[in-house]
Amino acid sequence: MIIVDTHVHVALHTYDPIEMLLTPMQYNNVAKTTLVQSSTTTDNTYVIECKRRFPQRVAVVCRVDVDSPNALADLEHWHREGADSVRLRNFHRSPGSDPLAIWHKAGELGMPVSAGGHLEGFLTDEFAKLVESLPDLKIVIEHLGGMGFYAVSDYQDARPSDNQYRRVLGLARYPNTYMKFHGMGEFCAPPFPHKEVPPYLKMAYDAFGPQRMMWGSDYPRVIMREGYRNSLQFTMEQLSFCGREDLEWVFGKTALSVWKSLQ
């Protein structure tokens, strides 16, 4: 099985350099990874450099300043430099006459979108219409549709209901959508091993199926939760109902189908 970690953050300052990531990948037989640019910067120089150093192991999800009048040109620039895809928030809209200009540009360049944001943003009719209007653009929904932002929060009363989560999973009706999950520690109460595991992952699997789901560790944040190894192994155990072929899709082949440069 080829294992791909589709959600890691590396940097020379805010996070660790890529060498720190390669060690847990090696020890856990993770062959390839997708570097997701931090929300703290739109300078993608370092992650592009990492891809050039490890071209068969690394794909890049870049960021641009969506509010800038140069956003479309910036995205073209990073695409030429080697970025495979772009990270946008579910609420991101472009200034000017076309509020979906940055989304259209991503589609024009063949750059899948890694879509982050809180669950409420994925619940809106506006976001559903956006997805529907761009059928050729692959949209990877991060953090189980934002569910991980709430599940282990101190503000338990703010946790969305299962019905709200099911509405987010309704985005699976659009075949260009994918769901990314980040280890059980993101939505299970500590400590590890988790005593209770909410059914969010199984619900997502039932909605999207194995060929539109993918795992990402959320390194290095995962270190403060269950740890890198457990984010992979314990999560695999929660998918024990899957056959071997389905696991191959969830933990690798889906990512390879989205980020072609990893093939």
Side-chain angles (χ1 to χ4, degrees):
M1 179 191 301
I2 297 177
I3 301 177
V4 181
D5 186 344
T6 66
H7 200 95
V8 304
H9 306 292
V10 297
L12 292 178
H13 304 290
T14 307
Y15 295 113
D16 293 328
I18 193 170
E19 287 79 5
M20 299 292 287
L21 166 68
L22 295 177
T23 296
M25 285 179 58
Q26 177 183 348
Y27 279 106
N28 291 281
N29 297 313
V30 177
K32 301 171 187 287
T33 188
T34 300
L35 307 182
V36 178
Q37 182 59 282
S38 163
S39 58
T40 63
T41 183
T42 56
D43 182 355
N44 302 286
T45 303
Y46 180 67
V47 289
I48 293 292
E49 176 189 332
C50 292
K51 178 179 177 178
R52 290 172 179 168
R53 291 173 59 196
F54 306 101
Q56 295 182 316
R57 299 188 66 185
V58 167
V60 167
V61 181
C62 72
R63 285 188 70 249
V64 297
D65 181 359
V66 176
D67 296 322
S68 167
N70 299 317
L72 304 187
D74 290 342
L75 187 57
E76 288 185 342
H77 165 74
W78 292 116
H79 177 64
R80 289 194 302 270
E81 289 295 302
D84 303 87
S85 51
V86 60
R87 190 182 200 192
L88 299 174
R89 300 299 189 189
N90 49 28
F91 56 82
H92 273 155
R93 301 294 182 270
S94 297
S97 60
D98 180 9
L100 299 183
I102 192 68
W103 298 80
H104 287 142
K105 177 57 70 172
E108 175 188 321
L109 296 171
M111 301 178 77
V113 170
S114 188
H118 288 288
L119 180 140
E120 289 86 353
F122 293 113
L123 281 173
T124 65
D125 291 339
E126 181 186 7
F127 185 77
K129 290 177 181 177
L130 180 157
V131 173
E132 186 176 22
S133 70
L134 297 164
D136 296 325
L137 176 64
K138 294 180 179 180
I139 299 175
V140 181
I141 301 168
E142 299 177 359
H143 296 278
L144 283 177
M147 204 65 175
F149 290 123
Y150 299 93
V152 295
S153 169
D154 292 333
Y155 304 99
Q156 294 296 322
D157 291 341
R159 182 189 299 183
S161 67
D162 285 355
N163 184 56
Q164 287 176 303
Y165 183 49
R166 289 189 185 94
R167 286 171 56 198
V168 171
L169 296 180
L171 291 169
R173 66 186 181 274
Y174 302 112
N176 56 321
T177 58
Y178 299 75
M179 182 63 79
K180 191 190 297 187
F181 58 94
H182 304 268
M184 312 306 288
E186 186 170 64
F187 58 83
C188 295
F192 184 86
H194 308 298
K195 294 180 180 178
E196 295 185 13
V197 179
Y200 303 145
L201 184 59
K202 178 62 163 58
M203 292 167 68
Y205 177 89
D206 290 341
F208 284 85
Q211 296 186 24
R212 289 197 288 146
M213 284 191 70
M214 60 182 74
W215 167 76
S217 68
D218 200 21
Y219 175 92
R221 293 171 178 161
V222 69
I223 295 172
M224 301 301 294
R225 298 196 294 258
E226 72 268 48
Y228 193 93
R229 179 181 182 278
N230 292 323
S231 76
L232 175 60
Q233 297 298 330
F234 186 75
T235 304
M236 278 189 175
E237 292 172 10
Q238 305 311 303
L239 291 169
S240 59
F241 56 86
C242 296
R244 171 77 179 186
E245 184 177 354
D246 284 359
L247 288 177
E248 288 180 352
W249 277 99
V250 171
F251 289 95
K253 291 172 69 176
T254 300
L256 297 179
S257 73
V258 172
W259 288 283
K260 302 294 187 181
S261 69
L262 292 176
Q263 295 180 356

